[in-house]
Amino acid sequence: MLRLLEIEPAMQALHGVVMELDDCAFPLVAGIEPTSSLRTAFEGTSWALLVGSVPRKAGMERNDLLNINGGIFKPQGEAINAHAASDVRVLVVGNPCNTNCLIARSHAPDVPDERWFAMTRLDQNRAMTQLAQRAGEPVTEVKRMAIWGNHSATQFPDFENATIGGKPVSDRIPELDWLQGEFITTVQQRGAAIIQARGASSAASAASAVIDSVQSIVTPTPADDFVSLAVVSHGEYGTPEGLLFGLPVRSDGSRCQVVEGLPHSSFAQERIKVTADELEGERAAVADLLQPAS
Ligand code: LMR
């Protein structure tokens, strides 16, 4: 059963969404139930995909956005804690997704750390395509594409640890200026560029990245690869504990683990610090929306 939570009562689009989902004839969808009740939406759910959030509008500061979204993700976290299945896994997509996930998680203390994810897969896919196009290789040849930190313009798409055709990226693309410059900014700014181009936030690529994210969590990761997910940091690579931080992850099909021991140049370390600082700033900005750990 697919339950769709309507977070804005005035939203008329849900009926159209149900029609389109019906028209996809998804083999696993046994029924669709739109609801505005948090309890109904999360009752017994094993997968909570938190897609809806309030996007930034002209004149809004980033902190306004964080606070408005706290009003959405706090009650969703509480409802997940109270009503979801004991094996629930949560993927937050609505922006700012890392910090929205942090808020929801703090209100769901019974759901273990390893079941929380925020989506950096869209950035991974964007980075893979940029590298593949530059190298003139199929995108399937790009592997080990880690996105570090925040799903924002500070994220670090880690070309240093990625491979193309099994070789370091720098073997296939020996242009350090491009890798350290245009490549990174293109990936960081891609969401804004899509909004500029189509007058709306990414939709198809984001939906595809949600599918990729879920598949990468429930499928064993191939031996020569890892995937990008924002997961609860336990201090790996010096990242601040407790943040939902984009990290390289491997799954055994049921549990995800952060890949440890990847080397970083001083350039990469500086980039990771910038995005960690931003996430720390976001955590500070929503401090009064977070439930203290008991
Ligand atoms: C994207 O990366 O395409 C979106 O997260 C951008 C946005 O702010 O909606």
Side-chain angles (χ1 to χ4, degrees):
M1 172 63 71
L2 179 63
R3 299 212 189 87
L4 297 180
L5 176 65
E6 186 181 29
I7 55 172
E8 237 178 281
M11 192 172 76
Q12 294 300 314
L14 202 61
H15 182 53
V17 171
V18 174
M19 289 168 70
E20 284 215 80
L21 285 167
D22 275 338
D23 295 350
C24 289
F26 287 123
L28 296 179
V29 176
I32 302 174
E33 185 181 354
T35 179
S36 54
S37 154
L38 284 165
R39 180 180 184 140
T40 305
F42 294 115
E43 188 79 59
T45 194
S46 291
W47 268 102
L49 306 177
L50 307 187
V51 177
S53 64
V54 174
R56 187 166 168 180
K57 301 189 182 80
M60 279 169 80
E61 297 300 326
R62 198 171 169 86
N63 285 358
D64 298 334
L65 189 67
L66 290 165
N67 282 313
I68 291 169
N69 281 303
I72 296 171
F73 288 88
K74 174 175 181 286
Q76 291 193 8
E78 290 167 344
I80 288 168
N81 202 53
H83 306 300
S86 59
D87 66 351
V88 67
R89 283 181 278 199
V90 186
L91 174 68
V92 178
V93 177
N95 281 319
C97 63
N98 301 57
T99 296
N100 287 341
C101 190
L102 180 80
I103 294 168
R105 175 183 164 251
S106 92
H107 293 279
D110 299 338
V111 180
D113 287 355
E114 72 263 17
R115 310 261 202 76
W116 294 91
F117 305 92
M119 194 168 85
T120 48
R121 179 56 182 250
L122 179 53
D123 312 296
Q124 174 190 329
N125 290 348
R126 288 167 169 164
M128 288 168 65
T129 297
Q130 292 302 315
L131 293 178
Q133 290 180 350
R134 190 75 175 191
E137 299 276 356
V139 76
T140 47
E141 290 298 312
V142 182
K143 300 202 187 307
R144 296 164 57 89
M145 186 67 248
I147 303 295
W148 296 81
N150 205 359
H151 171 65
S152 77
T154 65
Q155 66 177 273
F156 174 53
D158 182 1
F159 60 87
E160 295 182 358
N161 284 294
T163 58
I164 304 177
K167 301 262 190 316
V169 166
S170 55
D171 282 16
R172 298 297 178 101
I173 307 174
E175 302 156 88
L176 193 59
D177 284 357
W178 182 82
L179 289 167
Q180 291 189 341
E182 193 182 329
F183 164 67
I184 292 178
T185 48
T186 299
V187 178
Q188 289 177 331
Q189 301 290 341
R190 188 70 168 185
I194 299 275
I195 292 170
Q196 178 79 20
R198 65 189 293 271
S201 194
S202 55
S205 58
S208 183
V210 172
I211 295 168
D212 289 341
S213 301
V214 172
Q215 278 179 341
S216 71
I217 294 166
V218 299
T219 310
T221 312
D224 61 347
D225 210 356
F226 48 67
V227 294
S228 296
L229 288 159
V231 295
V232 176
S233 164
H234 295 104
E236 297 89 345
Y237 298 92
T239 57
E241 282 189 42
L243 290 178
L244 268 290
F245 204 92
L247 288 164
V249 165
R250 290 179 51 80
S251 173
D252 64 7
S254 55
R255 285 181 75 107
C256 288
Q257 277 202 313
V258 173
V259 176
E260 301 221 48
L262 297 178
H264 286 124
S265 67
S266 55
F267 173 84
Q269 286 169 20
E270 276 164 32
R271 292 301 177 123
I272 292 170
K273 179 164 184 337
V274 168
T275 195
D277 288 350
E278 182 181 56
L279 280 170
E280 285 271 41
E282 290 186 10
R283 175 159 62 183
V286 298
D288 40 352
L289 294 169
L290 300 176
Q291 179 165 262
S294 53

